[in-house]
Amino acid sequence: LIATPALASVDRTTAVSTLAGLYNSADVCNLSISRAKVDTYREANTPAGDAMFNVDVFQATHALYDQQKSWPKEQTAAYCKTAADTAKSLGMIL
């Protein structure tokens, strides 16, 4: 996950990675994240006319799920700590 201000515009790759991490960590790490703030971030960072953006976020999210299947508990715990720190820095923790 990459920490960026919630409303700051970031490049497409960063936006896809951050959103995938947020969606994944809400499930895997049981983080309580504001859906409205995630939606605001997504809307602020979706390139105009980019019909594949949401598809790419979906695919990146599922790629994270697949990667985590083979992670040891320690790696998942470290990922969840980073995910919580990122969500907190973006002001998205409920």
Side-chain angles (χ1 to χ4, degrees):
L1 293 175
I2 299 170
T4 56
L7 296 176
S9 183
V10 297
D11 65 87
R12 185 185 194 283
T13 301
T14 300
V16 168
S17 174
T18 300
L19 286 165
L22 288 167
Y23 293 136
N24 183 57
S25 64
D27 184 38
V28 170
C29 306
N30 201 28
L31 292 181
S32 295
I33 298 173
S34 169
R35 182 162 187 87
K37 290 182 180 180
V38 172
D39 288 346
T40 299
Y41 178 89
R42 181 183 40 76
E43 290 167 10
N45 290 291
T46 300
D50 188 342
M52 294 302 293
F53 183 79
N54 288 329
V55 172
D56 290 345
V57 170
F58 178 80
Q59 290 175 337
T61 303
H62 282 276
L64 278 174
Y65 280 120
D66 289 341
Q67 290 171 6
Q68 286 179 325
K69 289 178 185 177
S70 64
W71 289 1
K73 288 182 183 182
E74 297 81 17
Q75 187 174 359
T76 300
Y79 171 82
C80 288
K81 181 185 179 327
T82 300
D85 291 345
T86 298
K88 183 182 264 185
S89 73
L90 293 170
M92 295 182 179
I93 295 287
L94 291 177

